[in-house]
Amino acid sequence: MAQVPKACQICAENIQIRWKCLNCKTLLCNECGQRHVRDELYHEHQVVDLDNIERMQTYDFTKCSFHPKNSVSLYCWECKQTICVDCLGKSHHGHTLETIEDARVSMKKTLWNHQAKINSQHLNLCYSEKEKIQKEMRLHKGKFEDEKQKILEYDLYLKEEISHRTELLLEELIDEIRTSAHDINTRATKLDYRIKMLHKTNSAIENKKESFDIHTLRSVTELSTNVLKLPVDTFLSTKTLPCSSKQFCPGQSRQELEDVIKHLAGSLKTVQPYVPSSIEFKSINSFSTDLTSISSIKSKQDGTILISSNQDTNFRQVDLEQEKILEEDKNMKFHHFAITKSNTVLFAIVDNNCIKEAKNNGQTSDFYIFSSDNPTTTTALHVTNAGLILVSTIEEGGLPYTITDTSQRQVMVLSECGDILRIHESDPIGHRLFLHPDKLTSNDGGEICVIDKTSQTSGIIVIIDSDHLLKWIFHGIKEEKFDPIDIVTTPTGNLVISESHGTLLIMNYDCVILKKQSTIELGIEFPHCLDINNKGLLTVTSNRQYFKHKAKLFLFKFSGF
């Protein structure tokens, strides 16, 4: 569309445009332009002679698309196009105009700024995000490989157990066949002998029955009489051969077996991804004791702490804030103890086949008595947030890390009244869950975590899910010795595990390791017992601190887990 020349934007009459006010962006005739310059209100305005604009740098190789005879010399920022002087009319009224050179400089400056932002901000952020994604991918692949390995290992374990069971069934069947075959062969041999004797007697009778010799007849008669002394049915059986046999009976129907296999083979559960956070420990205080060692600790609701030491046969109640022993028994040796929701104390005394309860009125009574037919030793006690009592046991006098047919390595779940609700001892196919259950904890979801000692200096973590089935077995970090000593569940549902070689291992109930914390960095040489008090502080005991043979307690505030 052709450009239409416009009259002066002041007088609106004269079409001989001579001036342009760059501030007002107004086209002026000669007279109006001179008045505009002289007016004090506009003394700072820049009024440009259009003849000077024409003499500004032009780009001869680019002709104006509206005025082909003219080269472009201006750039309109609103229209984003180059124009010539004759284009200064209606179409570009009020638009921002610059010489092409100035516009080029502005654009180059903008491009430099954009490039700087791309290089210093956007690319850096993108590369940082890409590195994060690659790290997540590596973690994802690593997690996939770990889970795949767990599935394959469990698959191998199930196959070995099923193969072992198959071998036992075949051996039993072979023994049965061997015994039955021996019985049948014995009966056949006796029957063959009887038939032989009957034929022999029958032949003798046939040959001698017409004899006139009385002695010959007497001899044959005695022979036949002796043969016929046995009743005719002595060697006959009223039973179908073989007398008895064994038949294979599947343990479950096919439908039931499918359900059992699902439980045995496990399943893939959706778990919340672990979002790494800053896990920190802040030392609050430390306390020295006169005890050689501390066997277990538990915090009471009133803020005091109960401490037992088997080595010192000592049990005491301590107010840490006052650093004062409130009560003490110097002749008490516990296996373990726990505090109930009603603030009573459950404890298992060495050489006593029951669990005692110390009530708030000072009286002590039997909470649970083990059967005298199967003497049992309590190794750990724990009270869940729901008030249930967990008790881990081993048979009395049993070898610590060896399983026999009479072994009772189990975790009992008792009600608040001491009634047995269930017992965890074997998985659905009869494989023992524990070798030597030693410490217990639980979360609000009903899952149970057990330290199972496999030797005096090693152990594993066994986790039982809310369906009362085996969930995980944690053997420690690969290629590192794992010797768990004590375990506690945090208010957020994560686990803290103390290890004998100077480590606190933080992980969740899906066995995802959140942090491996060196206790040397926290000032603890040999971490032992763990507890979390009603203020959310973590208590860690050390039975030897810098080789001083007295136990110490350390209090920490923790965050991030």
Side-chain angles (χ1 to χ4, degrees):
M1 183 176 178
Q3 296 277 348
V4 179
K6 187 180 179 183
C8 174
Q9 292 176 290
I10 299 297
C11 67
E13 296 178 356
N14 194 342
I15 61 172
Q16 300 296 321
I17 303 301
R18 173 72 182 277
W19 307 93
K20 176 178 172 64
C21 178
L22 299 181
N23 299 85
C24 299
K25 299 177 182 177
T26 307
L27 297 174
L28 308 168
C29 66
N30 185 45
E31 292 180 3
C32 291
Q34 291 180 3
R35 282 197 299 271
H36 196 74
V37 171
R38 290 194 298 269
D39 194 327
E40 291 184 0
L41 292 175
Y42 310 109
H43 71 281
E44 292 183 354
H45 284 205
Q46 184 179 5
V47 179
V48 182
D49 189 339
L50 291 183
D51 291 338
N52 291 335
I53 293 179
E54 287 180 335
R55 290 192 295 272
M56 291 179 184
Q57 179 182 1
T58 61
Y59 291 79
D60 294 332
F61 54 85
T62 305
K63 298 298 182 180
C64 180
S65 58
F66 302 109
H67 307 95
K69 294 181 179 181
N70 299 337
S71 296
V72 294
S73 60
L74 296 170
Y75 181 78
C76 178
W77 285 97
E78 280 76 10
C79 299
K80 293 181 175 55
Q81 62 180 186
T82 54
I83 61 175
C84 69
V85 176
D86 290 343
C87 293
L88 297 174
K90 182 178 180 180
S91 296
H92 299 283
H93 172 62
H95 290 187
T96 302
L97 303 175
E98 269 190 320
T99 65
I100 289 179
E101 180 62 23
D102 288 344
R104 187 182 68 83
V105 171
S106 296
M107 290 182 182
K108 287 180 66 175
K109 184 177 180 181
T110 299
L111 290 175
W112 277 101
N113 289 336
H114 287 177
Q115 187 178 35
K117 286 183 178 180
I118 288 173
N119 292 332
S120 63
Q121 298 179 17
H122 293 263
L123 276 177
N124 286 343
L125 288 174
C126 287
Y127 281 126
S128 177
E129 184 66 18
K130 184 177 180 180
E131 183 179 350
K132 180 181 177 182
I133 291 173
Q134 291 174 340
K135 182 179 179 180
E136 290 177 354
M137 180 58 71
R138 290 193 296 270
L139 290 174
H140 179 74
K141 288 182 178 179
K143 181 65 176 174
F144 168 78
E145 291 298 329
D146 288 344
E147 298 308 313
K148 178 182 176 182
Q149 187 62 30
K150 288 178 184 177
I151 292 173
L152 293 176
E153 288 177 356
Y154 197 58
D155 174 70
L156 179 62
Y157 158 70
L158 290 177
K159 288 177 180 177
E160 289 176 348
E161 290 297 320
I162 292 174
S163 297
H164 178 63
R165 179 58 183 167
T166 301
E167 290 173 1
L168 291 177
L169 289 174
L170 290 175
E171 288 177 4
E172 183 179 351
L173 182 62
I174 291 170
D175 289 341
E176 171 66 17
I177 291 173
R178 187 182 295 115
T179 301
S180 299
H182 175 73
D183 293 342
I184 293 170
N185 289 334
T186 300
R187 292 170 60 193
T189 301
K190 290 181 179 180
L191 191 60
D192 288 342
Y193 177 77
R194 176 65 173 172
I195 292 171
K196 181 179 178 181
M197 290 299 297
L198 290 173
H199 280 300
K200 181 179 178 180
T201 303
N202 195 38
S203 178
I205 293 174
E206 184 66 28
N207 294 331
K208 304 296 183 181
K209 66 182 181 181
E210 300 296 337
S211 175
F212 292 99
D213 184 5
I214 188 66
H215 296 291
T216 298
L217 292 174
R218 181 182 58 78
S219 176
V220 173
T221 300
E222 289 177 353
L223 172 64
S224 60
T225 301
N226 289 333
V227 170
L228 294 175
K229 279 183 178 180
L230 291 175
V232 68
D233 59 350
T234 300
F235 291 91
L236 300 180
S237 174
T238 58
K239 299 179 180 179
T240 302
L241 295 177
C243 297
S244 63
S245 64
K246 290 192 175 181
Q247 181 181 7
F248 174 67
C249 299
Q252 305 284 342
S253 67
R254 288 188 177 274
Q255 181 59 48
E256 292 172 331
L257 189 59
E258 288 180 6
D259 296 334
V260 171
I261 288 174
K262 287 180 182 178
H263 285 296
L264 291 180
S267 61
L268 292 174
K269 294 184 178 180
T270 300
V271 296
Q272 293 298 323
Y274 167 61
V275 179
S277 59
S278 177
I279 292 179
E280 296 180 349
F281 292 86
K282 181 181 179 182
S283 178
I284 300 299
N285 209 339
S286 64
F287 304 90
S288 298
T289 73
D290 59 348
L291 300 173
T292 306
S293 67
I294 293 176
S295 304
S296 56
I297 56 171
K298 288 291 182 293
S299 298
K300 299 193 72 176
Q301 296 173 4
D302 60 6
T304 61
I305 190 169
L306 300 180
I307 303 173
S308 71
S309 172
N310 287 347
Q311 189 168 352
D312 298 298
T313 62
N314 187 286
F315 180 69
R316 61 180 60 170
Q317 182 179 5
V318 178
D319 186 335
L320 290 180
E321 291 185 359
Q322 301 294 327
E323 298 190 26
K324 181 180 179 181
I325 298 175
L326 303 179
E327 293 184 46
E328 185 174 25
D329 188 327
K330 295 184 178 181
N331 189 28
M332 184 74 74
K333 191 173 183 180
F334 287 164
H335 283 302
H336 207 252
F337 70 91
I339 300 174
T340 68
K341 289 298 179 181
S342 57
N343 211 33
T344 63
V345 181
L346 299 177
F347 57 93
I349 304 175
V350 175
D351 298 329
N352 194 305
N353 199 34
C354 72
I355 298 173
K356 299 281 188 179
E357 181 178 18
K359 299 182 179 180
N360 296 321
N361 59 9
Q363 294 181 348
T364 300
S365 61
D366 293 339
F367 178 78
Y368 182 84
I369 301 175
F370 294 98
S371 171
S372 58
D373 295 334
N374 298 300
T376 301
T377 298
T378 300
T379 58
L381 292 167
H382 171 73
V383 178
T384 71
N385 287 339
L388 301 179
I389 316 300
L390 305 183
V391 184
S392 62
T393 69
I394 63 173
E395 72 283 0
E396 190 173 300
L399 296 175
Y401 312 108
T402 303
I403 290 289
T404 66
D405 293 338
T406 59
S407 296
Q408 295 185 48
R409 316 295 169 86
Q410 59 190 17
V411 173
M412 303 168 58
V413 182
L414 308 179
S415 70
E416 294 180 89
C417 300
D419 298 322
I420 296 179
L421 301 180
R422 57 186 170 273
I423 294 177
H424 299 287
E425 185 173 13
S426 304
D427 63 16
I429 61 174
H431 188 271
R432 296 295 188 102
L433 292 173
F434 312 111
L435 195 61
H436 192 286
D438 191 62
K439 291 292 186 299
L440 301 165
T441 187
S442 63
N443 63 13
D444 290 339
E447 295 178 314
I448 299 172
C449 187
V450 184
I451 289 181
D452 187 31
K453 299 294 285 186
T454 54
S455 72
Q456 191 172 0
T457 58
S458 64
I460 59 176
I461 303 296
V462 178
I463 298 179
I464 300 170
D465 66 18
S466 56
D467 294 325
H468 319 313
L469 298 172
L470 177 65
K471 180 180 181 181
W472 298 112
I473 296 178
F474 179 73
H475 295 270
I477 300 174
K478 291 182 179 179
E479 299 179 358
E480 291 187 15
K481 184 179 179 181
F482 187 52
D483 183 20
I485 300 298
D486 202 359
I487 192 167
V488 69
T489 300
T490 69
T492 57
N494 291 312
L495 294 167
V496 183
I497 304 166
S498 60
E499 295 185 70
S500 64
H501 52 273
T503 301
L504 292 181
L505 194 63
I506 319 299
M507 70 182 201
N508 60 26
Y509 271 75
D510 292 311
C511 293
V512 177
I513 298 174
L514 310 184
K515 184 170 184 178
K516 180 183 176 183
Q517 174 67 54
S518 167
T519 58
I520 297 296
E521 297 175 359
L522 301 177
I524 304 173
E525 186 178 7
F526 295 104
H528 199 75
C529 299
L530 301 174
D531 183 60
I532 296 178
N533 64 20
N534 57 359
K535 295 182 180 179
L537 299 180
L538 174 67
T539 304
V540 185
T541 72
S542 174
N543 286 345
R544 286 195 299 165
Q545 177 65 17
Y546 302 121
F547 300 100
K548 296 177 182 178
H549 295 277
K550 294 297 178 182
K552 296 189 70 174
L553 291 88
F554 300 82
L555 260 64
F556 294 94
K557 183 177 181 180
F558 59 91
S559 61
F561 64 97

